[in-house]
Amino acid sequence: MSEQTVSQEIQRSGPGPGGGAEATRPDVVSVVGLTKRYGRRTVVDGVELHLTAGSITGLIGPNGAGKTTIMSMLLGLVRPDSGRGTVLGNDLTRPADYLSRVGALIEGPAFFGNLSGRDNLRYFARLGGHDPAGIPEVLSLVGLQGREGDSYSSYSLGMKQRLGIGASLLGDPDLVILDEPTNGVDPAGMRDIRAMVRRIAADGRTVLISSHLLAELEHVCDRVIVLDQGGLRYSGPLHELPSSRAEVILLRGRSGADDAALHRLLTAQGRSLERRADGFAVEVGDDEPARLAGELARHVIAHGVDLVELHHQKQSLEDRVLDLVGTGSRS
Amino acid sequence: MNTFVAEWIRLSAKRTWLIAIPFTILYSAVLTVVMIDTAPDRANGGVSLQALGQSGGGTLAVRTGVAFTSVLILALFVGMSAGSFARGTWRASLLQQPRRLTLAAGTFAARIAISAVVVVVLFIAGLVTAYLVAPAQGVDTGSWLDATSLRMAGEDYLRTMVFIVGWAVLGTLLGILTRSVPIGLGIGILWAGPIENVLGDRLSLGGEYFPGLLLRYVVAPETAPVTGVTLALRLLVYAAVALLVVSTLLRRRDVSS
């Protein structure tokens, strides 16, 4: 199959994230051995990267892990020392061939302070040969309608980030690369950006997003790539990210007597039980967490236990990533 | 072409003209008044009352006075090119136009096109000012609009544009080389000021080879120690070297903050 044919095939994916049939979707990005050195320091070391069409992939790692450098190499801003692969079916070493179908926000938003948000988008749209008629839709998507005529220099950091995301959507790209889009954004703004990323991916676009705020990524990504000191530590579905602590259902009775009854009832069922400061933990194992929680609740309540707490507890993305890369920041 | 149009529209915003046009008119008027007011009766070359009274006299003062704007042009182009790296707009622009040389050439051409419009205003303002002040110095303005004068005005305009393009290339080169506005400006002012004007003026070699002095001879050809052909060839060599350096830097350097 010719490169051109492959390139044409790798466009929008049918179902969005979590829509299934992932194995049949082509790789939008497929690179191996990606390496970048600055002098004697290797900042990206033989990384292999595969982004499935229509997926939202989180690029995770401490400061200095190589996240921005990898994104920059995909965008043709930084030249890899070695490595090969394709982006949207085109050779990685020829970014001009595929960048018209890639939108990106990298190393923070960069615009002209004296121009309005709308005029900045017009400038970049003209530069990329995109139809400026799509700008109102982009402004609406990123929630800047009503402020589009204001000078960029008067924008808050959150608005600047939104405009940066807006610029990445010019030309309706198939692949969107967002480097720390929630940097400096308040909690409400983060929620908005999270929703924005979901909307971007809902059209079948492939999204690669990096963030220090792992909880943010946990809410939007279906796949993660974990990096540390330039090396790849994990790449795959978020739910398969190795966990050092077992997934549990946590139960707590109202009184000491209730807790004692809980202990007796669950032990009698032959369940592996752990006493914790905040209650009893029952390992989920291969069971379905929601089904198990319901079964446990029904059983103990039927035996007169006054249950005040029951919840599904699993190791957070942050904990799992820290298990992989350690706790030290290298910035 | 997209790059040229985008940069042209960005730069030709109403605010730019509201600042550039009044400043250019004022600058041109002051320059012309000073040049005419201080002109000697006669001189071997340059601005004199005798030369002002001949065909081409209307634009002579402003064309010669443009030589004083070298540092201003240099600073503007260093600021624009280095500023685009410092602000990150170069990086953001590359995401839309990944062909680096196309992006650089298109934006440079748009900036020169804007300069060309400003120079038209500069010349018109200079001519009008000269008409107003020259008679008081006893200069006959009768031949300022004859066919020879119009041809000479065209030539003066082209010489001025060559001068501007030359300094613009130097400023852009410095901006791309340093990627820092303060460092680029520091080096540029040091070169265009003390090195070119003090050292270059004292050394015969400097007068014949320093790029800034060669560019000065373009707008003041009467003072040139080299022939027009030599001047053109040397400037072309400098331009070729600058283009080679710029294209190498743009193609090979990584773009990161």
Side-chain angles (χ1 to χ4, degrees):
Chain A
M1 191 181 287
S2 74
E3 198 169 84
Q4 183 62 35
T5 316
V6 175
S7 169
Q8 284 164 350
E9 275 188 6
I10 302 173
Q11 303 226 336
R12 298 289 169 81
S13 164
E22 193 175 278
T24 62
R25 290 190 226 156
D27 278 347
V28 167
V29 174
S30 177
V31 291
V32 290
L34 201 59
T35 301
K36 181 66 190 178
R37 294 183 199 90
Y38 289 111
R40 293 167 64 183
R41 195 165 56 94
T42 303
V43 292
V44 175
D45 190 8
V47 167
E48 182 170 346
L49 197 70
H50 298 280
L51 302 186
T52 316
S55 64
I56 305 180
T57 304
L59 198 54
I60 298 172
N63 289 338
K67 304 184 294 290
T68 301
T69 308
I70 286 176
M71 288 178 156
S72 297
M73 286 193 279
L74 295 178
L75 293 167
L77 299 174
V78 168
R79 188 193 299 262
D81 287 312
S82 61
R84 60 192 164 77
T86 58
V87 177
L88 291 160
N90 298 279
D91 197 304
L92 175 70
T93 58
R94 300 174 63 90
D97 292 349
Y98 59 77
L99 278 183
S100 62
R101 293 164 59 202
V102 179
L105 164 64
I106 188 144
E107 296 193 67
F111 293 99
F112 299 99
N114 61 321
L115 297 184
S116 67
R118 183 180 46 225
D119 286 345
N120 266 297
L121 289 187
R122 280 183 184 155
Y123 173 81
F124 287 107
R126 282 193 194 98
L127 213 52
H130 309 308
D131 185 1
I135 289 173
E137 190 187 339
V138 165
L139 286 165
S140 166
L141 182 69
V142 298
L144 280 177
Q145 65 274 58
R147 295 294 306 272
E148 69 269 30
D150 293 356
S151 161
Y152 173 74
S153 55
S154 72
Y155 281 9
S156 66
L157 189 51
M159 291 167 73
K160 288 176 179 174
Q161 292 280 24
R162 285 162 186 261
L163 190 67
I165 295 172
S168 77
L169 299 176
L170 292 170
D172 196 18
D174 296 319
L175 169 64
V176 178
I177 295 177
L178 302 173
D179 182 24
E180 308 274 3
T182 55
N183 248 4
V185 178
D186 61 23
M190 283 184 194
R191 190 188 54 205
D192 291 346
I193 289 178
R194 212 159 59 205
M196 218 180 287
V197 171
R198 285 205 197 94
R199 283 200 296 273
I200 292 169
D203 290 342
R205 293 187 183 96
T206 307
V207 180
L208 177 64
I209 178 171
S210 74
S211 176
H212 285 104
L213 304 168
L214 303 186
E216 284 304 306
L217 292 183
E218 196 166 15
H219 285 108
V220 291
C221 295
D222 46 352
R223 297 179 67 85
V224 289
I225 293 165
V226 182
L227 299 164
D228 185 33
Q229 293 181 300
L232 185 69
R233 295 290 174 268
Y234 173 80
S235 175
L238 180 63
H239 66 271
E240 288 178 14
L241 188 65
S243 177
S244 62
R245 278 170 55 187
E247 207 174 321
V248 297
I249 302 294
L250 201 77
L251 304 100
R252 188 162 63 89
R254 182 172 295 281
S255 64
D258 290 315
D259 277 346
L262 265 177
H263 184 261
R264 182 171 42 78
L265 287 165
L266 297 176
T267 310
Q269 279 193 325
R271 294 190 187 278
S272 162
L273 202 65
E274 185 193 343
R275 178 84 202 222
R276 290 187 184 172
D278 50 352
F280 291 100
V282 178
E283 261 190 47
V284 172
D286 294 333
D287 226 327
E288 168 65 32
R291 197 201 61 77
L292 177 64
E295 184 187 310
L296 293 173
R298 278 191 300 277
H299 180 64
V300 298
I301 290 168
H303 286 82
V305 173
D306 190 357
L307 203 59
V308 291
E309 189 176 340
L310 179 142
H311 71 265
H312 174 212
Q313 195 177 64
K314 61 179 179 181
Q315 208 176 8
S316 68
L317 176 62
E318 189 170 277
D319 289 337
R320 283 182 284 166
V321 169
L322 287 176
D323 279 349
L324 276 173
V325 304
T327 54
S329 171
R330 290 152 192 100
S331 60
Chain B
M1 195 60 189
N2 286 338
T3 311
F4 177 88
V5 173
E7 184 72 358
W8 168 270
I9 292 173
R10 181 181 82 81
L11 289 176
S12 59
K14 200 163 88 180
R15 190 174 153 179
T16 310
W17 296 123
L18 284 175
I19 296 168
I21 299 298
F23 176 80
T24 305
I25 291 172
L26 183 69
Y27 182 77
S28 180
V30 170
L31 203 65
T32 306
V33 167
V34 171
M35 295 297 283
I36 293 176
D37 205 39
T38 57
D41 289 340
R42 288 171 187 278
N44 284 336
V47 181
S48 66
L49 294 178
Q50 184 198 28
L52 283 166
Q54 294 169 358
S55 291
T59 51
L60 176 64
V62 72
R63 184 254 286 165
T64 312
V66 161
F68 297 117
T69 61
S70 56
V71 175
L72 180 68
I73 300 162
L74 184 77
L76 271 174
F77 278 82
V78 167
M80 283 192 282
S81 58
S84 69
F85 287 98
R87 277 193 309 268
T89 48
W90 172 254
R91 180 184 71 238
S93 299
L94 280 175
L95 298 175
Q96 302 296 339
Q97 173 49 273
R99 290 183 169 84
R100 298 179 182 192
L101 296 182
T102 304
L103 180 64
T107 50
F108 182 81
R111 290 165 188 176
I112 291 300
I114 294 282
S115 306
V117 176
V118 171
V119 172
V120 169
V121 175
L122 187 88
F123 267 68
I124 292 171
L127 185 63
V128 171
T129 308
Y131 258 114
L132 294 174
V133 298
Q137 298 291 324
V139 174
D140 178 15
T141 61
S143 58
W144 280 10
L145 287 181
D146 61 18
T148 311
S149 288
L150 290 176
R151 186 186 55 76
M152 290 175 79
E155 188 185 313
D156 288 348
Y157 178 81
L158 287 177
R159 285 181 177 278
T160 304
M161 285 311 299
V162 170
F163 178 82
I164 287 173
V165 170
W167 280 105
V169 167
L170 204 59
T172 303
L173 171 66
L174 272 176
I176 290 171
L177 202 64
T178 61
R179 297 185 180 192
S180 157
V181 177
I183 296 172
L185 279 180
I187 295 171
I189 290 170
L190 184 72
W191 179 265
I195 295 178
E196 284 270 357
N197 290 312
V198 179
L199 197 63
D201 271 345
R202 284 162 195 259
L203 299 170
S204 61
L205 192 74
E208 288 181 22
Y209 286 99
F210 277 19
L213 291 177
L214 292 177
L215 284 169
R216 192 206 286 172
Y217 303 145
V218 174
V219 288
E222 312 84 9
T223 60
V226 292
T227 66
V229 174
T230 307
L231 179 65
L233 283 175
R234 283 180 190 170
L235 284 173
L236 280 173
V237 169
Y238 276 123
V241 170
L243 285 175
L244 185 70
V245 173
V246 164
S247 65
T248 306
L249 287 174
L250 290 180
R251 276 188 286 112
R252 298 202 63 80
R253 265 187 179 174
D254 288 339
V255 180
S256 60
S257 59

